[in-house]
Amino acid sequence: MALRPYVDHDRCVSSGACVLEFPQACAYQEGQALAVVLPGADELTEEQLREAASLCPVEAIRLLDADGNDVTPEV
């Protein structure tokens, strides 16, 4: 199952955990302190995507399956 990450900007508090641990996949939005998903996220394994999502202290990194369903593990 291919997962597609996205950042829920209503939840993001700019902790930076995703940017620090997965700089190839996450960065700060230009001009704002909100995380965004980079094209490099496509190169991460499903395990790495789940890890990135689990690092977010406010669960702003969400994972979608191929049908667009939110399959982010709840902590």
Side-chain angles (χ1 to χ4, degrees):
M1 163 176 58
L3 297 179
R4 182 173 51 90
Y6 79 95
V7 177
D8 182 340
H9 287 162
D10 291 332
R11 293 183 180 197
C12 184
V13 295
S14 306
S15 76
C18 59
V19 175
L20 290 172
E21 292 296 320
F22 293 98
Q24 73 276 37
C26 297
Y28 286 119
Q29 186 173 331
E30 189 171 326
Q32 297 186 29
L34 294 173
V36 293
V37 175
L38 299 174
D42 292 342
E43 298 174 17
L44 297 181
T45 65
E46 185 174 314
E47 182 178 322
Q48 288 172 312
L49 289 171
R50 290 184 188 280
E51 181 182 348
S54 74
L55 290 172
C56 183
V58 294
E59 299 178 352
I61 299 175
R62 311 305 296 171
L63 302 173
L64 302 178
D65 68 11
D67 295 324
N69 299 308
D70 190 329
V71 294
T72 309
E74 298 302 322
V75 181

